[in-house]
């Protein structure tokens, strides 16, 4: 009996594994999809192969470039069905590894094809589709060939779209290069290849890159010089060996100001081409290094980071800290050397904290996590800690208690003390509480940082810190500026009390965010912890005002903060609903999902997508202001514009991935998709006029 059972099990193990529509390979997830799970007789059926490489790996385009291999598919069709045509590839990206140019997909990509379902098939008949997919997946260090056999058990029916697979097919169609109406031309000038592509909207072009389908057309890794010559985009680079002949086909990837990159299918005939034209207006030129060179150069990104950090000093949670620290230098007993030391220490505190936060984001993304700038604010415990910290600062500014060396560590003792140590921790505190406010000033720079090499990316974060520290740095190094600061007096007590108001308002906003993240009960726990902490500070202040000596161990106040933070749950209770903003309600906003967006775009519906978070101050201002205006709601309804909301208050991998694809590190982001397939990014400070002039 046992021998028979063992033989039966071994026989089962010896059977080949049944093919399924999804296969998880070591470095890639691959899936077979169809427009309909019930294809209709006599009608075409679109099929797709979805390849999702794991973090740090990539697959290849039709022409892989200097290295790599394209994806191959061998189909097994039902009787009477012809094999489908070649796979259609989405617009690729560029990746230079060890001096070799690669045309790659570093994220999820969908390869499409189509078959004709024979007429006369009876409904209910099985219509199985099977394919063997072979592809190469590579990291920067190694390449691994992978293969999978996939099967879809379709059944002949009415041809209705499948609720799960059809949106993915639509997503794949939206990612394909578009046909170019105009006729492109190419010419060879010595060893150089020149392509001329007539197109509209040239004044908005920021960068472009040509991917030829043939191997010998150009030298892939050579920089492509892009200029505007009349009504055409002119691309010049080194010709390949032996060079192009006859018609040249390929894909032109173009990035326009305010829009996501788009691709155009090019068929160019040999002919005359214009001479070099004007530099691209959107960037001041495009003599890119190999890799396409999307976006502004590093110096402009760094300048944007410094300016963004400088503006952060007027934010309500940063300004009081900066003001009091600056006025501390006006007391008259701080010498030039000490002022410079404090300025440098303050700058070091800001730059180190901002760079460390940026480095943590980069490390988490390198490990495969989809996180962005200010990701720590998605954790309710961080919000609870900030609530306690800001409340403590507000009560201190209001005069409830004073921080001295004998009161123990109340979270801001180091920041309130003098000298280099106090200046350093003041800078660290200012940097930490400023992260929720970076959105409107830092979106482009921080988004670029997430796709730059590590050293350059960290320099962008350091530039943000330098901008944030710049006012105090100038005060510390400029005696003339210090002399212009008001002299100390009784007015400073009143100013401290006034500056406590924005800190109290910040605490109120943080309590509301906590409620949005973990529900009313969670917010109540956070407020209870804040009350306990506040009572502790009141008791401390009453002892101080009574003239009593106080020698409280620093661990007591630290334990109070830790206990209060631990009271807060890490997630909302099951089924808890978030409050709906006025804008979302008035505009009938639907929840963002990649599939829903792809379905709407595939149906040529206009879509206004906004990415938001409850801890984002700019987001809330826009949603209570321009987006909540009745004129906007009326215009969107009249034009049939669907509003889609992506809420990033809590971590959402789909939103994180979308932000990464659009080179944005955080929120807010506002994008309008028009019915023709165009994509326009709106400014981060919205106006009613901007929203009511969207073209449909």
């Amino acid at each position: 009996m046992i021998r028979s059972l063992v033989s039966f099990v071994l026989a089962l193990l010896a059977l080949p594994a049944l093919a399924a529509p999804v296969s998880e390979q070591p470095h890639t997830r691959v899936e077979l999809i169809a427009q309909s799970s019930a294809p209709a007789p006599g009608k075409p059926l679109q099929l797709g192969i979805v390849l999702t490489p794991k973090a740090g790996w990539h697959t290849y385009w039709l022409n892989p470039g200097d290295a790599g291999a394209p994806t191959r598919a061998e189909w097994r069709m039902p009787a009477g069905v012809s094999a489908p045509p070649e796979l259609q590839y989405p617009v690729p990206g560029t990746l230079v590894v060890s001096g070799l140019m690669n045309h790659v997909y570093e994220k999820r990509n969908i390869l499409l094809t189509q078959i004709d379902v024979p007429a006369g098939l009876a409904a209910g008949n099985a219509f199985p589709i099977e394919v063997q997919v072979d592809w190469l997946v590579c990291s920067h260090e190694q390449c691994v060939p992978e293969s999978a056999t996939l099967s879809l058990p379709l059944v002949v029916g009415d041809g209705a779209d499948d609720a799960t697979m059809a949106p993915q097919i639509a997503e794949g169609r939206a990612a394909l290069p578009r046909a170019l109406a105009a006729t492109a031309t190419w010419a060879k000038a010595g060893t150089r290849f020149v392509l001329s592509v007539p197109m509209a909207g040239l004044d908005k072009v920021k960068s472009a890159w040509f991917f030829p389908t043939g191997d010998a057309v150009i030298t892939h890794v050579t920089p492509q010089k892009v200029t505007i010559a009349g009504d055409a985009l002119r691309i010049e680079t080194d010709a390949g060996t032996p060079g192009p002949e006859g018609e040249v086909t390929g894909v032109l990837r173009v990035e326009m100001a305010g829009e996501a990159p788009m691709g155009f299918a090019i068929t160019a005939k040999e002919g005359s081409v214009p001479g070099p034209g004007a530099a691209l207006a959107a960037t001041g030129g495009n003599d890119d290094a190999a890799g396409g060179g999307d976006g502004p150069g590093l110096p402009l990104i760094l300048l944007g980071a410094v300016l963004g950090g400088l503006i952060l000093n007027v934010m309500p949670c940063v300004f009081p800290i900066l003001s009091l620290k600056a006025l501390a230098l006006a007391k008259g007993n701080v010498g030039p050397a000490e002022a410079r030391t404090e300025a440098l220490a303050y700058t070091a505190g800001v730059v180190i904290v901002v760079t460390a936060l940026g480095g943590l984001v980069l490390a988490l993304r390198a490990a495969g996590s989809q996180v962005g700038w200010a990701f720590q604010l998605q954790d309710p415990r961080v919000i609870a800690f900030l609530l306690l910290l800001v409340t403590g600062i507000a009560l201190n500014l209001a005069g409830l208690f004073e921080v001295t060396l004998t009161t123990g560590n109340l979270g801001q003792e180091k920041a309130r003390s003098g000298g280099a140590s106090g200046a350093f921790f003041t800078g660290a505190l200012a940097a930490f509480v400023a992260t929720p406010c970076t959105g409107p000033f830092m979106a482009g720079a921080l988004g670029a940082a997430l796709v730059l090499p590590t050293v350059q990316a960290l320099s962008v974060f350091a530039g943000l810190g330098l901008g944030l520290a710049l006012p105090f740095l100038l005060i510390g190094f400029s005696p003339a500026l210090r002399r212009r600061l008001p002299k100390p007096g009784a007015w400073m007590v009143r100013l401290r009390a006034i500056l406590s108001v924005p800190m109290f308002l910040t605490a109120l906003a943080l309590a509301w965010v906590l409620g949005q993240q973990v529900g009313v009960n969670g917010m109540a726990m956070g407020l209870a912890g804040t009350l306990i902490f506040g009572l502790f500070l009141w008791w401390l202040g009453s002892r101080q005002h009574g003239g009593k000596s106080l020698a409280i161990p620093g661990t007591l106040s630290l334990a109070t903060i830790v206990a209060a933070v631990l009271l807060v749950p890490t997630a909302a209770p099951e089924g808890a609903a978030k409050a709906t903003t006025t804008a979302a309600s008035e505009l009938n906003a639907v929840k963002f999902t990649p599939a829903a967006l792809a379905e709407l775009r595939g149906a040529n519906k206009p879509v206004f997508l906004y990415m938001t978070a409850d801890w984002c101050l700019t987001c809330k201002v826009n949603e209570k202001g321009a987006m909540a205006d009745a004129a906007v709601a009326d215009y969107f309804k009249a034009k049939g514009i669907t509003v889609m909301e992506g809420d990033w208050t809590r971590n959402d991998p789909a939103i994180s991935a979308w932000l990464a694809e659009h080179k944005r590190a955080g929120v807010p982001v506002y994008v309008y998709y028009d019915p023709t397939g165009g994509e326009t990014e709106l400014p981060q400070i919205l106006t009613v006029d901007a929203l009511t002039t969207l073209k449909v």
Side-chain angles (χ1 to χ4, degrees), residues 223-321:
Q224 297 185 6
K225 183 177 180 62
V226 183
T227 57
I228 298 174
D231 63 350
L233 205 60
R234 185 184 189 275
I235 299 98
E236 180 179 344
T237 187
D238 285 346
T241 303
E245 292 182 1
E247 287 188 340
V248 170
T249 59
V251 169
L252 180 65
R253 183 178 186 268
V254 178
E255 183 176 349
M256 295 189 175
E259 299 184 15
M262 61 185 72
F264 297 94
I266 301 295
T267 299
K269 297 180 179 180
E270 187 173 5
S272 61
V273 295
L280 300 183
T283 60
N286 185 353
D287 193 0
D288 296 329
D294 292 340
L298 183 61
L300 285 178
I301 295 172
L302 286 173
L303 178 61
V306 173
L307 293 176
L310 184 63
I311 296 173
L312 288 178
N313 286 282
V314 301
M315 292 292 108
C317 48
V318 178
F319 183 71
I321 300 172

Side-chain angles (χ1 to χ4, degrees), residues 387-606:
L387 173 60
L388 294 172
L389 184 62
V390 169
T391 301
I393 296 173
L395 293 174
N396 175 247
L397 293 174
L400 184 66
F401 71 98
E402 297 296 330
V403 179
T404 67
L405 293 178
T406 61
T407 57
N409 186 2
L410 296 172
Q412 68 268 29
E413 173 192 345
K414 290 293 185 183
R416 293 281 297 141
S417 63
S421 175
F424 178 87
F425 282 96
T426 301
L429 176 64
F432 192 75
V433 301
T435 51
C437 306
T438 54
F441 317 112
M442 292 299 301
L446 293 179
L450 298 184
V451 298
L452 287 172
T454 302
V455 174
Q456 296 182 15
L458 291 177
S459 69
V460 173
F461 290 109
L464 168 62
L466 177 62
L468 181 59
L470 194 56
F472 191 73
L473 189 65
L474 293 176
I475 292 172
F477 275 80
S478 174
L481 285 178
R482 292 200 301 277
R483 286 194 296 269
R484 291 179 178 273
L485 294 174
K487 298 303 179 183
W491 65 270
M492 293 184 67
V493 177
R494 293 191 294 272
L495 177 63
R496 279 187 54 181
I498 293 172
L499 292 176
S500 72
V501 175
M503 300 305 287
F504 279 121
L505 293 175
T506 301
L508 183 63
L510 288 168
W512 179 78
V513 171
L514 191 61
Q516 294 291 88
Q517 288 182 330
V518 294
V520 175
N521 291 338
M523 180 177 66
M525 292 181 184
L527 290 175
T530 306
L531 176 61
I532 294 171
F533 188 50
L535 290 174
F536 170 76
L537 296 179
W538 168 78
W539 173 76
L540 174 65
S542 64
R543 300 274 294 179
Q544 288 178 328
H545 295 153
K548 297 179 181 179
S549 62
L550 206 59
I552 300 176
T555 54
L556 179 58
S557 56
L558 180 61
T560 305
I561 294 176
V562 171
V565 170
L566 291 178
L567 284 173
V568 177
T570 58
E574 192 70 25
K578 285 174 80 277
T580 304
T581 63
T582 302
S585 177
E586 292 293 331
L587 299 175
N588 297 316
V590 298
K591 182 180 179 181
F592 163 78
T593 65
L597 177 60
E599 184 176 7
L600 287 168
R601 295 196 68 190
N604 297 324
K605 299 286 183 65

Side-chain angles (χ1 to χ4, degrees), residues 7 77 94 166 194 242 323 341 359 365 418 443 511 519 538-539 588 603 669:
S7 300
M77 295 285 112
T94 54
V194 184
S323 299
T341 299
R365 292 173 73 90
W538 168 78
W539 173 76
N588 297 316
V669 181

